[in-house]
């Protein structure tokens, strides 16, 4: 059997062999080449017209039905709840789906099923026979309704890839790979093809070093350096970390641009070519070993002399970080933007409850804060906020804490705090903890990269129809929509909750707060005045605790904010009452359902 080194030296031949062995037979017009990197069959994405008829239903319904059966299969109950047909209709639909090659019928389909619960034959309620998905069924279950792109947009994408290839070749040591050439293949290589689902490119990548063993060592050093900077672990491609970084630099995670390894001669149109040979001779080095991770001997937060794992802000070097946290303090201050050595998962609940019970009896420090030892601490009662909705233990816990540690222990200063207050208090305390740790260690804060604003989801005709139903009936819930006559072609109430979430994102609906427990899940339409007042309030002031650079405090609202808040609450209460009254006068119709409705 060939060694790993021998396979690495002949990677092009290995990929060529795999490309020939696993050539696609699904009729897709993409190139029969291996995806660049060899991770998954990138060219296997299926795009369908979700509104086209299929088996007597819309393709969207069949796709969503098959998605329910992946990976455990479908029961007849799943079909009845999805398409709202009677038992005979569901069996007929399943039979048609089996004939179409999307499902495999159970072997005992034609046998009499005796139910030992109700002592009858062919019991509908306890029919557990399972229809399993075929490969074609799984492909359709995860099919996309993405619309084709135009050649003009495709040319713009290719221009970006070519520009990125020039940048990669300008500094090949950054990723340890360089681009030899890029050619157009597939439908994009055909000049008359205007509608393009994908832009297929054959990309010839070459390693920076001529020795495969030294190339792998260099890539491992590159990967460990990225890990030290806080780059999250993920699945690299089959060639290596630097190869994956090069692919990412060329096309990112685009679903339109697909890159393939030229396993054989490709005659497509040349888009980019590098005349220089950027592969250099490698200097022999000693076998590579990952740098040892040396833990610290004391905790930077509680100050105890116990083994502590190094922590750092993402983007800062971890191996040389002077900040270390013990197991308990690491659990208390765990957050997404904190990188650390050791386990990939930290569960704070156990540490929080353990410390809350032990600190009043055995504080870590004889003076100052019982947890961190800061001098600015006051002994007073604290209330738990375990569920982050203000509800916790009714009995207060009396001990000495600073202004930062209560939020780490999920404590509040007064009973019955609202959930939004508890969440903001905990976040402010975590921000303060990390700021104090950096200040004590003399470490500068790393400015995070600016995140792109999340695009609002597109409102379709279905969303506008839902909004019209909310206006008509005043207030309704996702369960009302699932029971309505018009929902028989859609999913259950969870499917409708996602549709309502789109309207929430656009601030077109709001939760009904008036009316007590029975109106807990009802939503109503918002007004222009309500949306305008909400925008003014958000721009003027956000209530709740914040870290001001020195301590956690809750700033007083500016002048006029209380009056504006009162107007918003008054408008919301008025709309709630109107919505409930309209709901009583125009109840939501409910379609008759069978046993499984």
């Amino acid at each position: 059997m060939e060694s790993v080194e021998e396979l690495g030296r002949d990677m092009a031949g290995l990929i060529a062999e795999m490309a020939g062995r696993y050539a696609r037979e699904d009729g897709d017009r993409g190139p029969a080449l291996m995806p660049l990197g060899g991770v998954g069959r990138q060219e296997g994405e299926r795009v369908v017209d979700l509104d086209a008829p299929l088996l007597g239903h819309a393709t969207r319904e069949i796709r969503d039905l098959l998605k329910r059966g992946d990976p455990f299969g479908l029961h007849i109950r799943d079909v009845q709840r999805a398409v709202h047909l009677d038992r005979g209709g569901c069996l007929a639909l399943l039979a048609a789906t089996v004939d179409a090659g999307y499902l495999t019928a159970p072997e005992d389909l034609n046998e009499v099923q005796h139910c030992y619960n109700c002592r009858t034959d062919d019991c509908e309620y306890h029919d557990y026979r399972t229809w399993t998905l075929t490969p074609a069924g799984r492909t359709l279950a995860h099919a996309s309704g993405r619309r084709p792109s135009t050649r003009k947009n495709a040319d713009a994408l290719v221009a970006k890839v070519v520009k990125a290839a020039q940048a990669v070749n300008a500094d090949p040591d950054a990723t340890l790979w360089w681009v030899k050439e890029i050619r157009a293949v597939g439908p994009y290589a055909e000049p008359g093809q205007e509608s393009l689902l994908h832009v297929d490119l054959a990309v010839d990548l070459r390693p920076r070093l001529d020795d495969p063993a030294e190339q792998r060592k260099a890539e491992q050093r590159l990967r460990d350096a990225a890990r030290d900077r806080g780059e999250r672990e993920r699945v690299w491609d089959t060639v290596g970390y630097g190869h994956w970084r090069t692919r990412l630099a060329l096309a990112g995670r685009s679903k339109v641009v697909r890159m393939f390894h030229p396993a054989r001669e490709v005659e497509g149109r040349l888009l980019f070519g590098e005349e220089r040979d950027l592969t250099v001779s490698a200097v022999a080095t000693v076998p590579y070993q990952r740098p040892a991770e040396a833990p610290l001997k004391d905790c930077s937060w509680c100050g105890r002399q116990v083994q502590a794992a190094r922590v750092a802000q993402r983007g800062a070097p971890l191996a040389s970080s002077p900040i270390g946290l013990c197991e308990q303090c690491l659990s208390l201050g765990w957050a997404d933007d904190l990188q650390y050595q050791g386990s990939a998962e930290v569960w704070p609940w156990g540490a929080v409850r353990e410390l809350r019970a032990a600190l009043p009896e055995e504080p870590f420090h004889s003076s100052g804060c019982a947890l961190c030892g800061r001098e600015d601490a006051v002994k007073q009662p604290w209330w738990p906020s375990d569920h982050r909705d203000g509800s916790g233990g009714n009995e207060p816990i009396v001990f000495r804490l600073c202004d930062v540690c209560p939020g780490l222990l999920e404590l509040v200063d007064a009973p019955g705090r609202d959930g939004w207050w508890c969440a903001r208090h905990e976040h402010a305390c975590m921000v303060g903890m990390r700021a104090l740790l950096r200040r004590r260690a003399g470490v500068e804060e790393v400015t995070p990269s600016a995140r792109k604003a999340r695009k609002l989801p597109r409102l379709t005709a279905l969303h506008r129809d839902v909004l019209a139903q909310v206006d008509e009936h005043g207030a309704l819930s996702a369960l009302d929509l699932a029971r309505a006559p018009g929902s028989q072609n859609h999913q259950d109430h969870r499917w409708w909750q996602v549709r309502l979430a789109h309207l929430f994102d656009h601030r077109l609906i709001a939760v009904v707060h008036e009316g007590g427990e029975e109106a807990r899940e009802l939503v109503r339409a918002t007004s222009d005045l309500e949306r305008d007042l909400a925008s003014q309030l958000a721009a003027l002031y956000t209530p709740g605790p914040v870290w001001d650079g020195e301590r956690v405090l809750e700033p007083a609202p500016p002048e006029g904010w209380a009056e504006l808040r009162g107007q918003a609450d008054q408008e919301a209460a008025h709309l709630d009452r109107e919505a409930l009254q309209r709901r009583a006068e125009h109840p939501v119709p409910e379609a008759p359902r069978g046993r499984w409705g």
Side-chain angles (χ1 to χ4, degrees):
M1 188 174 192
E2 290 183 313
S3 64
V4 175
E5 289 77 9
E6 290 171 343
L7 289 176
R9 295 191 187 99
D10 194 24
M11 181 59 69
L14 177 64
I15 292 179
E17 179 183 350
M18 295 176 66
R21 182 178 302 176
Y22 300 107
R24 293 171 297 109
E25 299 177 356
D26 55 8
D28 192 289
R29 300 201 308 171
L33 302 175
M34 285 295 295
L36 194 65
V39 174
R41 297 184 61 196
Q42 182 185 5
E43 74 275 24
E45 179 190 7
R46 183 173 179 183
V47 180
V48 297
D49 182 2
L50 296 179
D51 297 323
L54 179 63
L55 304 179
H57 296 261
T59 302
R60 184 191 305 274
E61 298 175 37
I62 303 299
R63 183 201 65 172
D64 294 344
L65 174 63
L66 294 174
K67 190 180 296 184
R68 284 171 171 258
D70 190 22
F72 302 109
L74 284 169
H75 293 165
I76 190 171
R77 299 186 300 278
D78 301 322
V79 183
Q80 288 177 307
R81 289 167 179 164
V83 296
H84 299 301
L85 298 175
D86 57 16
R87 181 179 175 83
C90 290
L91 288 173
L93 177 59
L94 286 171
T97 311
V98 170
D99 293 339
Y102 299 128
L103 291 176
T104 300
E107 296 180 357
D108 57 348
L109 178 61
N110 298 321
E111 298 178 8
V112 176
Q113 298 291 313
H114 181 73
C115 179
Y116 291 92
N117 296 81
C118 58
R119 304 297 179 179
T120 60
D121 293 335
D122 291 330
C123 173
E124 297 181 12
Y125 192 81
H126 298 102
D127 189 349
Y128 297 111
R129 289 174 295 189
T130 303
W131 282 257
T132 57
L133 271 68
T134 63
R138 290 192 179 90
T139 301
L140 180 58
H142 298 282
S144 170
R146 186 167 54 84
R147 297 178 180 177
S149 179
T150 62
R151 179 162 290 273
K152 180 180 179 181
N153 293 336
D155 291 338
L157 290 174
V158 169
K160 292 182 180 180
V161 175
V162 170
K163 184 177 180 181
Q166 295 171 349
V168 167
N169 288 357
D171 186 15
D173 291 322
T175 60
L176 296 174
W177 288 79
W178 58 281
V179 185
K180 176 63 176 177
E181 67 177 24
I182 301 177
R183 291 184 179 273
V185 291
Y188 181 66
E190 302 175 9
Q193 187 74 21
E194 291 296 330
S195 180
L196 298 167
L197 283 174
H198 300 97
V199 178
D200 295 332
L201 304 176
V203 181
D204 187 5
L205 292 185
R206 302 291 178 90
R208 176 64 167 164
L209 304 178
D210 59 355
D211 187 348
E214 296 300 327
Q215 175 76 14
R216 284 192 294 275
K217 292 179 187 178
E219 289 200 57
Q220 189 61 45
R221 286 190 288 268
L222 198 67
R223 177 178 178 178
D224 287 344
R227 179 182 179 274
D228 186 51
R229 293 193 303 271
E231 187 172 290
R232 299 176 185 270
E233 289 290 338
R234 63 187 75 234
V235 179
W236 320 117
D237 63 34
T238 58
V239 183
Y241 174 80
H243 193 275
W244 174 78
R245 291 297 310 180
T246 308
R247 287 197 299 114
L248 208 62
L250 291 176
R253 295 178 176 86
S254 174
K255 295 182 179 180
V256 179
V257 177
R258 304 188 302 185
M259 297 186 297
F260 301 90
H261 180 84
R264 54 179 181 266
E265 285 295 328
V266 177
E267 299 180 356
R269 177 166 54 95
L270 182 65
L271 303 174
F272 172 80
E274 178 62 69
E275 298 180 355
R276 301 171 296 169
D277 186 1
L278 299 181
T279 300
V280 298
S281 300
V283 179
T285 59
V286 297
Y288 177 74
Q289 292 184 352
R290 184 173 173 177
E293 300 175 349
L296 299 177
K297 298 299 182 181
D298 56 351
C299 178
S300 302
W301 184 249
C302 67
R304 296 179 297 165
Q305 292 185 351
V306 294
Q307 182 172 325
R310 294 182 187 271
V311 298
Q313 185 181 1
R314 294 201 177 276
L318 176 63
S320 60
S321 174
I323 304 174
L325 294 178
C326 64
E327 183 178 352
Q328 288 180 326
C329 293
L330 180 62
S331 300
L332 299 180
W334 175 80
D336 288 342
D337 58 346
L338 188 68
Q339 57 165 325
Y340 54 91
Q341 295 175 348
S343 173
E345 295 181 349
V346 176
W347 301 98
W349 301 284
V352 167
R353 281 148 184 78
E354 179 182 344
L355 286 176
R356 281 203 311 227
L359 280 178
E361 303 297 332
E362 299 180 5
F364 291 161
H365 303 276
S366 58
S367 62
C369 178
L371 176 59
C372 68
R374 293 176 64 203
E375 297 181 359
D376 189 10
V378 179
K379 187 174 183 179
Q380 68 177 68
W382 303 93
W383 281 264
S385 61
D386 292 340
H387 303 291
R388 301 194 183 186
D389 59 355
S391 63
N394 295 324
E395 295 296 328
I397 306 174
V398 180
F399 61 128
R400 188 176 56 250
L401 290 176
C402 64
D403 60 300
V404 172
C405 289
L408 306 181
L409 296 173
E410 298 182 12
L411 297 171
V412 296
D413 57 357
R417 282 287 193 180
D418 292 331
W420 63 264
W421 193 96
C422 297
R424 285 185 59 82
H425 181 234
E426 183 178 346
H427 178 264
C429 291
M430 286 190 177
V431 172
M433 174 189 182
R434 294 192 289 269
L436 291 175
L437 287 173
R438 290 193 299 267
R439 186 181 305 172
R440 293 172 184 175
V443 177
E444 295 184 359
E445 181 179 5
V446 176
T447 303
S449 57
R451 294 183 178 181
K452 294 183 179 180
R454 187 174 68 91
K455 295 175 61 176
L456 288 176
R458 182 174 60 92
L459 291 180
T460 64
L462 176 63
H463 297 113
R464 302 189 186 280
D465 180 63
V466 172
L467 185 59
Q469 293 186 54
V470 175
D471 285 329
E472 178 184 357
H473 301 288
L476 48 76
S477 64
L479 193 58
D480 293 330
L481 290 169
R483 291 173 176 173
S487 70
Q488 57 185 335
N489 294 328
H490 298 296
Q491 304 285 354
D492 57 12
H493 72 283
R494 291 170 296 182
W495 190 90
W496 287 105
Q497 284 176 342
V498 178
R499 269 68 259 172
L500 291 176
H502 282 61
L503 299 177
F504 272 114
D505 290 340
H506 286 269
R507 296 185 179 182
L508 296 175
I509 60 174
V511 177
V512 177
H513 294 289
E514 296 286 336
E517 185 69 18
E518 63 180 10
R520 184 167 55 91
E521 296 183 355
L522 296 181
V523 298
R524 57 158 176 83
T526 58
S527 64
D528 293 337
L529 176 59
E530 185 179 22
R531 290 191 291 270
D532 182 59
L533 290 173
S535 300
Q536 294 182 43
L537 287 170
L540 190 60
Y541 168 72
T542 301
V546 295
W547 170 258
D548 70 344
E550 296 295 331
R551 59 182 298 111
V552 175
L553 49 83
E554 187 170 4
E559 184 179 356
W561 186 86
E563 291 78 4
L564 199 62
R565 175 76 268 177
Q567 295 180 28
D569 292 341
Q570 186 177 2
E571 175 68 11
H574 171 68
L575 294 176
D576 287 346
R577 290 192 295 270
E578 281 192 346
L580 291 175
Q581 182 178 358
R582 196 178 310 123
R583 176 181 174 85
E585 296 174 353
H586 303 279
V588 182
E590 183 174 339
R593 295 286 188 245
R595 188 170 188 176
W596 304 105

